């Protein structure tokens, strides 16, 4: 039986970053994923990316996440490939209620970058390759776990692996969570999101914006050059209808529905995703720990999902480092509870804030509509509070 300090199930953006972060502490790590990133991205040459079109799955990565990823030497490769910085963040319903947040407010050069998820993941995998204390099993699948007070034995395909700590970073439908019998609370938002990659008339933008139209927001995330990722939130039926249109038909719908500031666009690719909120009832159960979407799936409205995941990784790295430094066992209940305590309240606050905004903007008319527009109007003029809100959203 192979033995490791930590076994991580899931090598997405969060799992792969966790492997690098904990390997830095000298722990012996194994990571399992059913899939591997494209082999060309894991090879030495970086020029392969120039031949690849933009992937549909992109994320707004906050300044706070960037700084953490930079420390782990994951961020530099992402920038070498491609990413688009944004300096401004605009939100409005009606012209009068426009609120804009600017990086100058928090004395930073930018607020974050829009990054293709698979590039960030691949960069973390490249860093894993540089760490002799990380073993990767992929493609491989978690079959079962056997939890004991002081260890977990996991069956990975036909292999048995012993670990002191089992980390579930296997996404929203986490098998680790299910096998550890950790329940969740949550609901289906009755909304879907369509991601649409477009070629834009305008040069690269330095703003990411969100426009609320009758409770159903649309958003623009800039990509390098004349490219952008659009997000259209709406009822699942509407999104399904849009998904079945040809690119040319969808293009016309976008021009009719999105704000005029978009200019001419050409649709390149599209896909729809259901929106669910899910929160694990525990992040820690015995020697099992959940991180990222396995612990919490959040409404993507404010682009916080994976940023919260990176905060989980940072917190876990810090509590384990402190434990090792003070002679405590890094996988003891006392140590792991510190991680849960730090992360649960912060994640809950962000999830609840997103839901309040989402529900507030869902009301199509009446006093709530007036209030939210007054809220945005006021937000534009809030001064120091506005700066604090912005710093929090940027993970600073
Ligand atoms: C429409 C949309 C837009 C979004 N926009 C943003 C944004 O702008 N900013 C932001 O911060 N977040 C955003 N998010 C959220 C973000 O995409 C997620 O938070 C993030 O992908 C979660 O990463 P993860 O590594 O936790 O999980 P995942 O990305 O789901 O990775 C899980 C990994 O586990 C592996 N796996 C699964 N099961 C097993 C198994 N049994 N055995 C082995 N491996 C397994 C999978 O192959 C995968 O590699 C958005 C989400 C959506 C749906």
């Amino acid at each position: 039986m192979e033995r490791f300090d930590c076994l991580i199930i899931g090598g997405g953006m969060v799992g792969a970053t966790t492997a690098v972060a904990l390997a830095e502490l000298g722990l012996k790590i194994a990571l399992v994923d059913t899939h591997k990133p494209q082999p060309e991205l894991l090879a030495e040459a970086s020029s392969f990316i120039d031949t690849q079109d933009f992937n549909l799955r992109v994320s707004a990565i906050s300044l706070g996440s960037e700084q953490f990823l930079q420390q782990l030497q994951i961020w530099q490769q992402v920038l070498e490939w491609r990413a688009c910085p944004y300096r401004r963040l605009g939100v409005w319903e009606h012209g009068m209620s426009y609120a804009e947040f600017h990086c100058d407010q928090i004395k930073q050069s930018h607020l974050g970058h829009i990054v293709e998820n698979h590039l960030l993941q691949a960069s973390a995998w490249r860093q894993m390759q540089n760490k002799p204390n990380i073993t990767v099993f992929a493609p491989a699948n978690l079959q079962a776990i056997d939890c004991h007070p002081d260890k977990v034995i996991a069956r990975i395909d036909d292999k048995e692996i012993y670990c002191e700590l089992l980390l579930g970073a296997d996404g929203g439908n986490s098998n680790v969570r299910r096998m550890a019998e950790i329940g969740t609370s949550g609901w289906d938002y009755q909304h879907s999101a369509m991601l649409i990659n477009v070629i834009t008339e305008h040069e690269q933008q330095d703003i990411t914006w969100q426009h609320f139209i009758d409770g159903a927001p649309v958003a623009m995330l800039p990509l390098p050059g004349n490219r952008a990722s659009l997000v259209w939130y709406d009822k699942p039926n509407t999104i399904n209808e849009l998904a079945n249109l040809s690119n040319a038909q969808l293009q016309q719908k976008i021009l009719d529905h999105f704000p005029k500031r978009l200019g001419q666009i050409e649709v390149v690719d599209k896909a729809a995703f259901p929106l669910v909120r899910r929160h694990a009832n525990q992040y820690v159960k015995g020697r099992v720990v959940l991180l990222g979407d396995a612990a919490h799936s959040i409404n993507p409205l404010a682009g916080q999902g994976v940023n919260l995941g990176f905060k989980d990784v940072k917190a876990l790295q810090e509590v384990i480092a402190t434990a090792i430094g003070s002679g405590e066992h890094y996988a003891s209940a006392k140590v792991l509870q510190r991680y849960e305590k730090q992360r649960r309240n912060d994640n809950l606050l962000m999830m609840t804030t997103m839901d309040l905004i989402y529900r507030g903007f869902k009301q199509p008319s009446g006093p709530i509509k007036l209030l939210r527009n007054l809220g945005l109007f006021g937000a534009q003029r809030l001064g120091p509070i506005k700066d604090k809100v912005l710093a929090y959203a940027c993970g600073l």
Side-chain angles (χ1 to χ4, degrees):
M1 192 184 304
E2 290 189 69
R3 289 171 171 263
F4 294 92
D5 294 321
C6 292
L7 171 61
I8 302 171
I9 308 297
M13 294 185 281
V14 172
T17 301
T18 308
V20 176
L22 298 188
E24 300 237 311
L25 304 181
L27 298 178
K28 190 177 171 207
I29 310 288
L31 180 136
V32 176
D33 203 299
T34 45
H35 297 85
K36 274 180 169 175
Q38 275 176 288
E40 293 87 346
L41 291 175
L42 301 183
E44 273 313 302
S46 292
S47 55
F48 167 72
I49 200 66
D50 301 335
T51 66
Q52 300 290 295
D53 203 351
F54 291 91
N55 194 280
L56 257 180
R57 292 302 308 267
V58 298
S59 296
I61 300 299
S62 74
L63 211 48
S65 298
E66 268 183 51
Q67 289 168 356
F68 179 55
L69 294 167
Q70 198 146 18
Q71 279 169 27
L72 299 175
Q73 316 275 323
I74 293 173
W75 188 244
Q76 293 81 339
Q77 178 63 65
V78 174
L79 290 188
E80 206 176 299
W81 279 327
R82 61 190 177 206
C84 182
Y86 56 93
R87 293 164 49 79
R88 295 178 293 144
L89 207 155
V91 189
W92 78 100
E93 185 169 25
H94 293 296
M96 274 289 286
S97 62
Y98 182 78
E100 187 171 292
F101 299 85
H102 198 287
C103 58
D104 288 349
Q105 282 170 239
I106 50 169
K107 301 183 177 52
Q108 300 288 341
S109 61
H110 59 283
L111 296 174
H113 277 81
I114 309 297
V115 171
E116 291 158 82
N117 293 1
H118 77 129
L119 295 186
L120 185 38
Q121 180 199 18
S123 179
W125 277 62
R126 281 170 80 113
Q127 269 311 306
M128 289 201 296
Q129 290 176 165
N130 296 333
K131 307 263 178 218
N133 49 338
I134 300 181
T135 303
V136 173
F137 299 100
N141 205 344
L142 174 71
Q143 304 294 344
I145 58 175
D146 184 10
C147 298
H148 300 262
D150 58 346
K151 63 178 177 277
V152 178
I153 296 171
R155 190 147 54 77
I156 308 297
D157 294 331
D158 53 4
K159 253 194 293 291
E160 285 213 319
I161 294 185
Y162 167 107
C163 59
E164 298 279 334
L165 197 54
L166 178 74
L167 304 183
D170 49 347
N173 294 318
S174 170
N175 273 330
V176 172
R177 193 180 64 220
R178 182 178 54 79
M179 288 175 187
E181 296 179 353
I182 298 177
T184 58
S185 61
W187 54 79
D188 183 338
Y189 283 108
Q190 308 293 337
H191 255 183
S192 293
M194 173 169 244
L195 300 183
I196 311 157
N197 265 356
V198 295
I199 298 175
T200 57
E201 177 189 351
H202 303 304
E203 293 285 303
Q204 182 178 315
Q205 309 273 309
D206 73 345
I207 185 167
T208 177
W209 52 251
Q210 201 150 61
H211 179 205
F212 287 85
I213 309 167
D214 295 333
V218 295
M220 193 281 297
L221 288 74
L223 291 173
N226 283 53
R227 298 296 291 263
S229 172
L230 305 182
V231 194
W232 188 330
Y233 298 89
D234 219 316
K235 296 188 185 75
N237 282 350
T238 311
I239 294 294
N240 281 344
E241 281 166 25
L242 293 170
N244 287 325
L245 297 178
S246 69
N247 284 357
Q249 289 168 322
L250 179 61
Q251 195 163 305
Q252 195 48 53
K253 289 270 184 200
I254 292 169
L255 290 174
D256 294 343
H257 189 73
F258 273 61
K260 297 300 164 239
R261 58 160 63 194
L262 208 52
Q264 282 301 319
I265 49 123
E266 182 189 332
V267 171
V268 182
D269 202 3
K270 59 185 187 291
F273 300 86
L275 302 183
V276 288
R277 168 179 165 144
R278 216 181 277 114
H279 201 188
N281 296 340
Q282 292 163 266
Y283 293 0
V284 174
K285 187 171 178 188
R287 291 291 179 98
V288 177
V289 176
L290 303 178
L291 303 102
D293 274 24
H296 43 78
S297 303
I298 177 174
N299 192 319
L301 201 62
Q304 289 293 335
V306 78
N307 291 300
L308 295 182
F310 292 134
K311 281 174 134 186
D312 295 347
V313 182
K314 188 164 187 261
L316 188 65
Q317 188 198 36
E318 282 168 4
V319 297
I320 288 183
T322 307
I324 292 172
S326 60
E328 282 178 287
H329 193 290
Y330 61 86
S332 68
K334 239 162 94 185
V335 171
L336 299 179
Q337 281 308 324
R338 286 177 206 143
Y339 160 75
E340 167 125 20
K341 196 162 172 235
Q342 269 191 43
R343 294 307 307 141
R344 172 167 287 280
N345 288 345
D346 188 49
N347 288 332
L348 196 58
L349 175 66
M350 185 60 85
M351 292 169 100
T352 309
T353 308
M354 283 309 100
D355 283 348
L356 284 175
I357 294 173
Y358 170 79
R359 279 164 194 265
F361 275 96
K362 240 180 143 185
Q363 300 294 327
S365 58
I368 302 240
K369 182 170 179 175
L370 178 66
L371 265 178
R372 70 187 176 231
N373 278 287
L374 285 172
L376 283 174
F377 180 80
Q380 180 62 5
R381 289 151 187 84
L382 273 177
I385 298 177
K386 189 181 170 197
D387 301 351
K388 283 216 163 73
V389 169
L390 183 58
Y392 176 65
C394 290
L396 298 174

